[in-house]
Amino acid sequence: MNARTHTCGELTLSNVDESVSLNGWVNAVRFHGQVVFVDLRDRYGKTQIVYNQENFSGDFGTIKKLSMEDVLSINGRVEPREKNAVNPDMETGEIEVFVSDHIILNEAAPLPFVITDRDSAEEDLRLKYRYLELRTEELQKNILIRHNTYQEVRSFLSDNQFVEVETPVLMKSTPEGARDYLVPSRIHKGQFYALPQSPQMYKQILMIAGFDRYFQIVKCFRDEDLRADRQPEFTQIDIEMSFVEENDVLNICEQLTRHVFKQVENIELLDPFPRMTFSDVMSNYGTDCPDLRYNMKLQDMKSFSDKSDFNAFKSADTVAGIVVSNGSKYSRKVIDDLTEFVKRYKAKGLAWMKAEEGKLNGGIAKFFNNDLQQDIQSELGVKDGNIIFIIGDTEKIAQTALGALRCEIARRENLANAGDYQPVWITDFPMFEFDEEDQRYYSLQHPFTQPKIDDLDELKKAPESVPSRQYDLVINGYEIAGGSIRIHDPELQRSVFEILGIDKDEAQERFGFFVDALKYGAPPHGGIAFGFDRLVMLLAGTNNIRDVIAFPKTTSAMSLMDGAPSSVSKDQLEELGIRTIK
């Protein structure tokens, strides 16, 4: 192999007449009789190299056998391209290298898909041959964006007096929410470590230990049902601060987010980020992760439906709707499809009315008299060509279903500008939510979040009415970060455990070491965790989280490249004291 003098992305007219050595992969081959043009590629770019029988000292017959993704090492001379051959789309497009000799370092087998066209294969095939897909220009760019994001996060936080501390990967299982991934102990048979869902208790203990500004870019693991933007193992930017209120955490995180977007992709974000309460975003957008790149807010229609003759909505707690511009074009089939869509969110159906020639027609319009129709159009700003979609149900179902419908229509109508970034803080989340099936309360975030009241009697009397000191950062409909001010008072922490149905003995068994630590001078503290993969996904301009992770899992938590998870030998299981049941 020749020691390379340059990469495949740096030669320009200033290098003309220089003798150079390049190493890389064959990206394209073009045969023109006694002249062969090859685009040689590495991660820095591409250079056109030219094999001319007059200049090449080796066996010219080997050139005719070159194929895509062969690995070459070449020596040659840099020449300017003829004016009509200049390629403005390549950094090296003004020059070419005439090859004097080469070494074929490796011949590539026939490819399972075309490297230069990711769409030439289904994702499962590309994931099986992930090392080939990672050669594509798109994924190479994404991984470099990820790398740059790492560096900018570390630089910003270090410059702001945060200390990077690694927390354990093998920890005690304290299941809360998603299931833990368990690791059996060989030495202590029948006992297990857990992989961390988050370093939550460790980072709070670091505050108790006196490290008032901590951060870590850390792997976390959750055994949960997956979605397109989730992975069983994921990366988060973990941050914790002592002697702070909400504004202190939100302000430093805004600065970090703006810094990363500016330095990595030269994107200017709003300053400051807007803030909305949980109640406001649910009533306006039907979700706690609103996409603010388009409008189409939810509208309260209860007062109109109560005055109408449409009896199906009379008993509904909530009647809400959205007004869709140019929606009158929707056929009955499209409306039926959208009706089935909202049923996934437990809505019983989807009512509708179209605005045409100053009136509302079709659907349930006949149940609304002319005066009501005029009031609806006036108050909701309905114009000819619009359609109103309406759902009547419990508040939670009506809001959630309409919020999902809002996003689905925006997707169909391409309402969101891909180059627009709209961050928003969501605050004042409920502290608890009651599960009717389990007949118990659950924390909306985690059991260490501080409530917004100090009265323990009021907290125990009406838990569902208590707001928490939780906050989430949402950008373009994705939760990018979530955190809270934490409980630092042991008595309050015990009270929260009681509300969650965790008695004293169970609390001691699961969280005893942490509750004990709170007794020894825990400072007021709070923090946040950024979903690093989602953050990079936004920076890279993709909506598939697997596009920004080098070796991702599928939505069924499998690694198609190496076949994980897989079975292990009986000897390994016996050594761990484990017997499998099929």
Side-chain angles (χ1 to χ4, degrees):
M1 181 181 72
N2 302 305
R4 67 180 176 183
T5 59
H6 299 79
T7 69
C8 293
E10 66 176 301
L11 295 174
T12 66
L13 288 173
S14 64
N15 301 107
V16 167
D17 292 334
E18 290 182 17
S19 294
V20 298
S21 297
L22 302 178
N23 297 326
W25 287 264
V26 173
N27 193 73
V29 185
R30 297 176 294 279
F31 296 99
H32 294 274
Q34 301 305 310
V35 179
V36 179
F37 296 92
V38 173
D39 289 342
L40 195 66
R41 182 196 75 242
D42 59 16
R43 78 173 176 90
Y44 304 95
K46 290 181 287 190
T47 298
Q48 179 170 284
I49 61 175
V50 183
Y51 288 92
N52 188 316
Q53 197 163 17
E54 295 179 2
N55 303 96
F56 187 62
S57 63
D59 179 4
F60 201 77
T62 61
I63 311 303
K64 300 293 180 73
K65 298 177 182 178
L66 286 178
S67 61
M68 302 282 281
E69 299 306 305
D70 286 350
V71 187
L72 297 182
S73 181
I74 68 104
N75 291 317
R77 190 173 186 82
V78 181
E79 300 287 351
R81 291 202 201 189
E82 295 181 7
K83 286 186 177 181
N84 61 356
V86 168
N87 185 343
D89 297 326
M90 290 174 63
E91 292 291 328
T92 60
E94 292 183 293
I95 59 89
E96 54 195 0
V97 176
F98 280 77
V99 181
S100 57
D101 62 83
H102 79 185
I103 303 170
I104 299 177
L105 299 173
N106 212 324
E107 294 182 4
L111 299 172
F113 60 90
V114 180
I115 301 292
T116 53
D117 181 12
R118 289 182 72 205
D119 294 332
S120 66
E122 295 294 327
E123 186 179 41
D124 281 0
L125 181 63
R126 289 185 276 114
L127 287 174
K128 181 179 179 180
Y129 297 96
R130 184 64 167 184
Y131 41 85
L132 295 180
E133 187 180 23
L134 282 170
R135 294 182 191 173
T136 63
E137 184 176 355
E138 181 180 347
L139 290 197
Q140 295 242 323
K141 176 187 173 186
N142 291 351
I143 297 302
L144 290 175
I145 288 173
R146 188 182 181 100
H147 163 78
N148 291 335
T149 306
Y150 277 128
Q151 308 315 311
E152 293 302 334
V153 167
R154 281 199 165 92
S155 172
F156 176 89
L157 292 174
S158 297
D159 289 347
N160 281 274
Q161 298 182 311
F162 285 84
V163 180
E164 185 169 9
V165 184
E166 292 179 275
T167 53
V169 174
L170 296 177
M171 61 176 288
K172 181 183 177 67
S173 177
T174 56
E176 184 67 32
R179 288 177 291 274
D180 285 333
Y181 278 104
L182 299 177
V183 180
S185 170
R186 176 184 60 82
I187 298 171
H188 306 283
K189 284 186 170 59
Q191 296 184 307
F192 297 81
Y193 300 101
L195 301 180
Q197 295 187 31
S198 168
Q200 183 60 46
M201 286 182 284
Y202 288 112
K203 66 183 181 181
Q204 290 189 245
I205 287 172
L206 285 169
M207 297 302 101
I208 297 170
F211 296 95
D212 67 327
R213 287 194 164 201
Y214 143 92
F215 87 96
Q216 183 182 188
I217 301 177
V218 60
K219 277 286 186 186
C220 299
F221 307 84
R222 290 180 190 168
D223 186 5
E224 60 185 346
D225 295 331
L226 303 180
R227 300 197 301 251
D229 64 340
R230 284 185 179 173
Q231 286 277 293
E233 55 179 310
F234 57 95
T235 305
Q236 68 183 37
I237 308 165
D238 211 39
I239 295 172
E240 199 77 6
M241 305 165 67
S242 292
F243 307 111
V244 291
E245 303 290 347
E246 285 93 331
N247 281 341
D248 300 307
V249 181
L250 270 55
N251 287 339
I252 197 73
C253 290
E254 279 193 27
Q255 293 173 39
L256 169 62
T257 306
R258 279 194 293 271
H259 174 85
V260 167
F261 271 79
K262 176 63 177 176
Q263 296 303 316
V264 176
E265 285 296 291
N266 198 28
I267 296 168
E268 298 277 1
L269 294 181
L270 294 171
D271 184 6
F273 295 174
R275 300 183 187 185
M276 297 183 186
T277 65
F278 174 83
S279 176
D280 285 343
V281 294
M282 290 304 297
S283 60
N284 284 308
Y285 301 102
T287 174
D288 58 2
C289 292
D291 191 336
L292 304 185
R293 290 175 295 174
Y294 47 91
N295 199 358
M296 211 179 0
K297 292 182 180 179
L298 277 58
Q299 306 288 341
D300 183 0
M301 299 193 66
K302 180 69 172 170
S303 61
F304 301 124
S305 64
D306 282 350
K307 295 174 186 175
S308 75
D309 296 325
F310 191 64
N311 294 326
F313 283 165
K314 292 294 172 65
S315 60
D317 294 336
T318 298
V319 180
I322 55 174
V323 179
V324 181
S325 297
N326 302 317
S328 64
K329 65 185 179 184
Y330 288 172
S331 65
R332 190 53 192 259
K333 182 182 183 308
V334 170
I335 294 172
D336 288 344
D337 287 344
L338 295 175
T339 302
E340 291 304 309
F341 175 83
V342 298
K343 287 180 180 178
R344 299 180 206 167
Y345 299 88
K346 299 183 179 179
K348 298 178 184 69
L350 182 64
W352 57 276
M353 298 183 282
K354 291 181 178 182
E356 297 166 338
E357 298 180 355
K359 294 182 179 181
L360 298 178
N361 297 312
I364 62 171
K366 64 184 178 182
F367 297 103
F368 293 75
N369 62 40
N370 287 336
D371 288 341
L372 266 179
Q373 288 194 13
Q374 291 303 313
D375 289 345
I376 289 171
Q377 292 179 88
S378 175
E379 289 193 31
L380 303 189
V382 180
K383 299 177 180 178
D384 282 357
N386 294 174
I387 188 170
I388 310 170
F389 287 118
I390 311 164
I391 293 175
D393 216 302
T394 65
E395 181 180 65
K396 184 175 182 180
I397 290 176
Q399 288 179 347
T400 303
L402 275 173
L405 180 63
R406 174 181 179 270
C407 294
E408 173 63 14
I409 289 171
R411 184 191 66 79
R412 289 177 177 229
E413 300 293 336
N414 198 26
L415 298 182
N417 181 354
D420 187 17
Y421 294 89
Q422 294 292 329
V424 59
W425 285 109
I426 313 301
T427 63
D428 295 330
F429 285 81
M431 182 79 180
F432 305 102
E433 55 184 353
F434 188 76
D435 188 287
E436 293 289 347
E437 187 175 331
D438 294 345
Q439 286 295 295
R440 56 157 289 193
Y441 288 102
Y442 286 92
S443 296
L444 203 66
Q445 192 188 52
H446 55 61
F448 313 113
T449 297
Q450 190 174 131
K452 271 202 165 182
I453 61 169
D454 298 321
D455 189 327
L456 292 183
D457 290 335
E458 186 179 344
L459 179 66
K460 294 175 182 178
K461 185 169 58 180
E464 66 279 358
S465 66
V466 175
S468 73
R469 300 181 72 179
Q470 177 186 342
Y471 34 77
D472 284 359
L473 175 59
V474 175
I475 302 179
N476 294 0
Y478 291 101
E479 180 191 330
I480 297 304
S484 66
I485 300 300
R486 323 301 190 188
I487 296 170
H488 64 277
D489 175 21
E491 186 179 354
L492 177 57
Q493 186 65 77
R494 280 191 291 269
S495 296
V496 169
F497 284 155
E498 288 174 15
I499 293 169
L500 295 171
I502 302 171
D503 61 30
K504 187 175 181 180
D505 290 340
E506 185 183 359
Q508 186 62 34
E509 168 63 23
R510 290 169 60 181
F511 308 110
F513 72 97
F514 175 68
V515 176
D516 287 345
L518 290 176
K519 299 175 186 176
Y520 296 100
H525 58 283
I528 199 165
F530 281 77
F532 186 80
D533 306 301
R534 288 183 186 175
L535 178 63
V536 176
M537 184 178 76
L538 282 179
L539 289 165
T542 177
N543 58 8
N544 186 342
I545 204 165
R546 292 183 290 279
D547 284 353
V548 298
I549 299 172
F551 302 104
K553 306 289 190 295
T554 66
T555 50
S556 59
M558 293 183 66
S559 173
L560 300 181
M561 186 184 74
D562 60 7
S566 61
S567 58
V568 298
S569 70
K570 288 183 180 179
D571 289 344
Q572 286 177 282
L573 293 176
E574 286 177 8
E575 192 173 28
L576 294 168
I578 293 176
R579 183 174 62 205
T580 59
I581 299 173
K582 293 185 179 179

